[in-house]
């Protein structure tokens, strides 16, 4: 099993994850095991920055009160975690519960490293948001539980928008475009900074169109970039990118779009809320001018599609304490502690009813409305290799922005795209 895991998850390690991702109150109810778990210790791996000390303390207290067992949280670093977790899952005493990036989950499930959590889903997951739970499912089975998530929003410069005479934030894609054009016509500012290869935003647009970047053909996965709905998403991207001076062959980190925005002469950009910190570090004076709103969709009642980054919680198939691990998840994912995590970290919780915990957090309030209609890159282990540089999706985007039709650009990268999907897992 160890060799199989390392081979498969070595590919998963190439994925980019965004870190960088029950009805009762978790304190009482079923006294699982009564004193049957006394003397046992459950090991839980969480990633650096994911769970505040207060949350860990509160969950630990509730867990130990309910089960009479101990819980040991071990904080892990994102750098190198795939290989470390792969190795750990192959050994005799793996962590019992662990945090796992949502797009990485299918690769681990494919190897047999994750326990089936169908009974947990039945008991506490009836109202998990479907889009957030999707990454926990592999080949129809529940191999993890959705924990917390984040997605992109529009960060805008209030002064620039006011100088352009715009009094309110847009509610539709057309209104958004019209506002940006007005900025270009009435101010000296760049309406939007949108580099040609901000591909996670492009993935969001494809999600909004209801299409995936791959399709199954003759029993294998192949490129779906030639789908008309993918082309429609790319045309939307192109329309907005035409209002930007950003390079067509670079992504949002080259240069950091927050730094560009921080100069104070850009109307808006599409990014993660934490990117405001990059802008503020570059120019502290801009902090008071930064606002946030949900990326508008085609109609006012449905936000734009977004890529959902985040984390799931899973139980090791090799754990000797699977029932105790599930008792931990019942508490950690209960409304009380899932809501507490959302409030403390400003992350989107695993059910819409808990979004009230985000009140007062302007970034989270802007992100949350799009979560239900969000999605991810294709949830297949074969996808991992596609993201390796040079990413053919980025190549496709730049080709369209430089004048090729979406069909021509799709054809240009098709062989490389399919070659990567065919790599041995």
């Amino acid at each position: 099993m160890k060799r199989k895991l390392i081979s498969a998850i070595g590919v998963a390690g190439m994925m980019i994850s965004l870190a960088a991702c029950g009805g009762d109150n978790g304190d009482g109810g079923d006294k699982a095991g009564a004193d049957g778990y006394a003397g046992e210790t459950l090991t839980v791996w969480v990633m650096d920055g994911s769970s505040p000390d207060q949350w860990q303390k509160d969950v630990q207290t509730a867990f130990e009160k309910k089960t009479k067992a101990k819980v040991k949280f071990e904080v892990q670093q994102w750098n190198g975690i795939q290989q470390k977790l792969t190795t750990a899952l192959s050994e005799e005493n793996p962590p019992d519960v662990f945090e796992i990036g949502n797009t990485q989950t299918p690769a681990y499930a494919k190897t047999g490293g994750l326990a089936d959590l169908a009974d947990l889903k039945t008991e506490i997951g009836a109202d998990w948001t479907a889009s957030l739970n999707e990454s926990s499912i592999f080949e129809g089975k529940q191999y993890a539980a959705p924990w917390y998530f984040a997605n992109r929003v529009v960060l805008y410069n209030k002064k620039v928008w006011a100088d352009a005479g715009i009094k309110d934030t847009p509610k539709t894609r057309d209104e958004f475009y019209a506002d940006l054009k007005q900025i270009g016509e009435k101010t000296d500012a760049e309406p939007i900074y949108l580099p040609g290869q901000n591909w996670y935003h492009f993935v969001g647009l494809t999600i909004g169109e209801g299409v995936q970047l791959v399709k199954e053909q003759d029993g294998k996965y192949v490129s779906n970039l030639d789908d008309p709905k993918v082309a429609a998403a790319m045309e939307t991207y192109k329309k907005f990118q035409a209002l930007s001076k950003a390079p067509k062959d670079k992504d949002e980190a080259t240069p950091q779009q927050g730094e560009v925005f921080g100069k104070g002469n850009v109307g808006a950009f599409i990014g993660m809320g934490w990117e405001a910190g990059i802008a503020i570090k570059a120019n502290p004076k801009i902090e008071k001018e930064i606002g946030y709103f949900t990326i508008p969709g085609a109609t006012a009642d449905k936000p734009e599609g977004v890529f959902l980054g985040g984390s799931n919680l899973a139980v090791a198939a090799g754990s000797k304490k699977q029932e105790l691990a599930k008792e931990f998840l019942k508490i950690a994912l209960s409304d009380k502690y899932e809501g507490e995590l959302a409030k403390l970290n400003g992350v989107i919780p695993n059910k819409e009813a808990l979004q009230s915990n985000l009140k007062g957090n302007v970034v989270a309030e802007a992100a949350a409305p799009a979560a239900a209609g969000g999605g991810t890159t294709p949830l297949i282990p074969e996808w991992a290799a596609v993201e390796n540089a040079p990413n053919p999706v980025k190549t496709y985007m730049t080709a369209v922005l430089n004048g090729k039709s979406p069909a021509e650009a799709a054809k240009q990268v098709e062989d490389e795209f399919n070659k990567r999907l065919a790599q041995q897992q």
Side-chain angles (χ1 to χ4, degrees):
M1 181 177 177
K2 182 173 183 179
R3 182 176 298 172
K4 183 180 179 183
L5 276 165
I6 291 175
S7 173
I9 309 303
V11 176
M14 302 170 188
M15 291 183 174
I16 297 174
S17 61
L18 302 175
C21 297
D24 66 27
N25 64 12
D27 286 329
D30 172 35
K31 293 186 177 298
D35 292 331
Y37 295 125
E40 294 192 36
T41 299
L42 194 76
T43 300
V44 179
W45 281 14
V46 291
M47 302 309 299
D48 185 30
S50 292
S51 56
D53 291 344
Q54 185 63 51
W55 183 88
Q56 289 187 23
K57 180 181 178 181
D58 293 343
V59 169
Q60 180 178 9
T61 298
F63 174 79
E64 295 183 355
K65 177 182 178 182
K66 183 178 182 183
T67 67
K68 306 301 187 291
K70 301 293 184 183
V71 61
K72 180 181 180 184
F73 287 100
E74 295 184 355
V75 178
Q76 307 296 319
Q77 301 301 312
W78 285 104
N79 186 31
I81 186 58
Q82 283 88 2
Q83 185 60 47
K84 183 175 182 179
L85 181 57
T86 296
T87 301
L89 292 178
S90 304
E91 295 175 342
E92 290 298 316
N93 294 299
D96 302 295
V97 177
F98 52 92
E99 177 182 352
I100 183 174
N102 61 339
T103 60
Q104 299 163 1
T105 305
Y108 286 93
K110 182 179 181 179
T111 67
L114 311 184
D116 189 333
L117 299 181
D119 53 346
L120 186 77
K121 171 67 168 65
T122 299
E123 186 170 349
I124 69 169
D127 51 353
W128 287 341
T129 303
S131 61
L132 305 182
N133 186 50
E134 187 178 2
S135 65
S136 291
I137 300 170
F138 180 68
E139 295 183 343
K141 293 184 178 181
Q142 189 83 31
Y143 282 107
W147 191 22
Y148 69 87
F149 302 86
N151 54 262
R152 284 161 179 76
V153 298
V154 179
L155 295 86
Y156 74 105
N157 186 316
K158 296 176 183 178
K159 182 179 185 304
V160 170
W161 285 57
D163 289 347
I166 304 169
K167 301 185 184 302
D168 199 5
T169 55
K171 301 300 184 289
T172 68
R173 188 189 297 158
D174 286 345
E175 289 177 6
F176 186 24
Y177 183 76
D179 286 346
L180 295 176
K181 280 200 69 177
Q182 189 168 323
I183 290 171
E185 293 164 358
K186 296 191 174 183
T187 75
D188 293 329
E190 181 178 1
I192 185 171
Y193 185 82
L194 182 60
Q197 296 184 347
N198 187 341
W199 80 287
Y200 279 112
H201 175 50
F202 170 61
V203 168
L205 294 176
T206 66
I207 291 166
E209 293 287 345
V211 66
Q212 285 276 5
L213 297 181
V214 301
K215 60 186 175 184
E216 195 167 2
Q217 182 175 289
D218 299 327
K220 61 182 180 181
Y221 291 104
V222 297
S223 170
N224 196 36
L225 290 178
D226 60 356
D227 190 291
K229 291 183 179 180
V230 174
M234 190 61 222
E235 291 293 356
T236 297
Y237 192 101
K238 183 178 181 179
K239 179 179 179 179
F240 281 83
Q241 207 280 328
L243 299 175
S244 177
K245 299 175 184 176
K248 294 178 173 61
D249 61 349
K250 296 291 189 295
D251 63 20
E252 67 277 15
T254 316
Q256 286 287 346
Q257 59 183 5
E259 293 180 355
V260 177
F261 181 78
K263 295 176 182 178
N265 202 39
V266 171
F269 73 99
I270 294 170
M272 303 298 291
W274 54 260
E275 291 181 78
I278 297 175
I280 294 166
K281 183 177 180 180
N283 176 17
K285 293 181 180 179
I286 203 171
E287 182 172 8
K288 66 181 185 298
E289 304 296 348
I290 301 177
Y292 311 85
F293 60 85
T294 309
I295 305 173
T299 59
D301 61 336
K302 186 178 180 181
E304 188 60 84
V306 292
F307 173 84
L308 296 168
S311 287
N312 301 321
L313 289 175
V315 174
S319 168
K320 300 178 179 64
K321 304 168 187 174
Q322 290 190 18
E323 292 307 312
L324 183 58
K326 291 175 185 177
E327 292 303 324
F328 172 84
L329 292 179
K330 290 175 189 177
I331 293 171
L333 300 172
S334 67
D335 286 2
K336 181 174 182 177
Y337 297 113
E338 180 75 4
E340 180 183 14
L341 182 72
K343 189 170 186 176
L344 290 173
N345 270 8
V347 291
I348 297 170
N350 61 17
K351 56 175 73 172
E352 290 184 62
L354 297 177
Q355 289 182 6
S356 58
N357 290 280
L358 303 176
K359 188 174 182 179
N361 185 318
V362 291
V363 178
E365 286 184 317
T376 66
T377 47
L379 292 168
I380 55 173
E382 293 86 349
W383 177 259
V386 175
E387 295 191 12
N388 292 341
N391 184 331
V393 180
K394 290 184 175 183
T395 304
Y396 162 84
M397 294 172 68
T398 296
V400 173
L401 296 175
N402 282 334
K404 286 186 180 293
S405 70
E408 290 171 330
K411 188 66 175 176
Q412 176 183 324
V413 302
E414 182 179 58
D415 287 346
E416 178 62 23
F417 200 118
N418 292 341
K419 177 182 177 182
R420 295 183 184 207
L421 288 171
Q423 289 183 11
Q424 292 297 314
Q425 304 301 310

